Amino acid sequence: MTKSELFERLSAILQETFDIEPSRIIPEARLHDDLDIDSIDAIDLLVRLKPVAGQRVPPEVFRSVRTLQDVVDALHGLLGSDSAAA
């Protein structure tokens, strides 16, 4: 899955789960500061990302993420190097 496809899936999850307006969902958006994703929401997001990643997303992966692009990059890394870069 490409990074673009991952971002599209992440965008859909954020809209459906957290009612975030599509205009706010940009790669540079900071999870906490811009999108009001707190630690409880982040756990819910990890659960929702499991089907996208095809595996449980380890919480330690999310410790260093700050932006949506960080989430996409982390997921892309989990999917392995056989995914095409966007």
Side-chain angles (χ1 to χ4, degrees):
M1 186 175 297
T2 67
K3 288 186 178 185
S4 293
E5 291 168 331
L6 286 170
F7 186 81
E8 288 174 23
R9 296 282 298 271
L10 177 59
S11 176
I13 290 169
L14 291 170
Q15 290 174 57
E16 294 166 12
T17 306
F18 304 108
D19 292 325
I20 296 175
E21 298 170 19
S23 62
R24 294 175 57 202
I25 301 173
I26 59 172
E28 300 80 21
R30 293 168 295 179
L31 294 173
H32 183 268
D33 296 334
D34 298 329
L35 302 178
D36 298 320
I37 302 290
D38 61 22
S39 57
I40 300 296
D41 292 334
I43 292 169
D44 195 23
L45 182 58
L46 283 173
V47 171
R48 306 261 182 214
L49 290 172
K50 181 179 177 181
V52 175
Q55 61 182 307
R56 182 180 160 273
V57 180
E60 54 272 8
V61 168
F62 262 58
R63 286 195 182 117
S64 63
V65 301
R66 298 291 176 259
T67 68
L68 292 182
Q69 187 62 52
D70 292 341
V71 175
V72 169
D73 292 342
L75 285 174
H76 193 258
L78 282 176
L79 293 173
S81 60
D82 57 356
S83 296

